[in-house]
């Protein structure tokens, strides 16, 4: 499958999705569609469709955004130094769609690698485990387990 940013994909974004993914925005804490999602499946880039995170790597961090311990494929994530807002952080962007996703912090569960990928729901689309094969994500079914 080819993952890329297209004009059609950008045209389908809501104003909030565009603001977050294309203008490096951040949705308000505890308002995102997937913050409390506990269903099995994967999260893909809302723009390119590239697979980013699995539900089995999602955890409740209490920060107000969906949090994950690791990406599905590290090659689909770019980490960039972000010095905006008077602090130094590591921005997380999708590799193929170049969407702003959120930030990664070193305060995740120590027993699961110690990272917390703090991701905006507006940058994601959830694909339920039952739909993964039909949507071309069958190769990632082994990374999804019941929660």
């Amino acid at each position: 499958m080819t993952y890329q940013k297209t004009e059609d994909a950008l045209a389908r974004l809501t104003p909030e999705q565009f603001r977050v993914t294309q203008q490096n925005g951040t949705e308000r804490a505890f308002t995102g569609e997937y913050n409390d999602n506990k269903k099995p499946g994967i999260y893909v880039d809302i723009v390119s469709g590239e697979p980013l995170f699995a539900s089995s790597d999602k955890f409740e961090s209490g920060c107000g955004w969906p949090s994950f311990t690791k990406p599905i494929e590290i090659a689909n994530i770019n980490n960039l130094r972000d010095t905006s807002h008077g602090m130094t952080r590591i921005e997380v962007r999708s590799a193929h769609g170049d969407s702003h996703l959120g930030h990664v912090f070193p305060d995740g569960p120590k027993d699961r690698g110690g990272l917390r990928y703090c991701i905006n729901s507006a940058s994601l689309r959830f694909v339920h485990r039952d739909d993964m094969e039909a949507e071309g994500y069958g190769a990632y079914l082994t990374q999804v387990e019941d929660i």
Side-chain angles (χ1 to χ4, degrees):
M1 194 179 291
T2 302
Y3 306 111
Q4 60 187 359
K5 182 191 312 193
T6 66
E7 290 301 319
D8 286 345
L10 292 175
R12 286 191 300 271
L13 297 177
T14 67
E16 176 73 345
Q17 291 167 334
F18 188 88
R19 185 183 70 79
V20 169
T21 62
Q22 306 305 301
Q23 298 172 331
N24 302 335
T26 300
E27 63 197 10
R28 286 192 355 262
F30 301 102
T31 65
E33 176 180 5
Y34 302 124
N35 188 52
D36 297 320
N37 187 27
K38 307 244 187 290
K39 296 173 185 164
I42 63 170
Y43 297 84
V44 303
D45 181 339
I46 191 76
V47 174
S48 69
E50 64 199 280
L52 299 171
F53 301 99
S55 58
S56 45
D57 296 314
K58 190 173 188 275
F59 70 100
E60 180 51 56
S61 68
C63 71
W65 292 274
S67 297
F68 303 90
T69 57
K70 65 180 184 187
I72 287 177
E73 287 189 30
I74 197 70
N76 289 347
I77 298 287
N78 286 331
N79 294 327
L80 305 171
R81 184 183 161 122
D82 175 3
T83 58
S84 65
H85 305 291
M87 59 185 122
T88 300
R89 303 177 291 176
I90 303 297
E91 178 190 11
V92 179
R93 297 186 76 84
S94 62
H96 301 282
D98 193 35
S99 297
H100 170 74
L101 304 173
H103 292 85
V104 62
F105 301 97
D107 60 0
K110 296 291 181 221
D111 63 333
R112 295 172 69 189
L115 295 178
R116 173 174 56 97
Y117 286 83
C118 183
I119 306 298
N120 291 284
S121 290
S123 64
L124 302 173
R125 181 175 71 86
F126 180 72
V127 180
H128 193 282
R129 178 179 56 200
D130 296 347
D131 301 321
M132 288 173 58
E133 189 75 50
E135 290 197 31
Y137 298 106
Y140 301 99
L141 279 165
T142 58
Q143 295 197 36
V144 177
E145 55 193 44
D146 284 322
I147 301 173

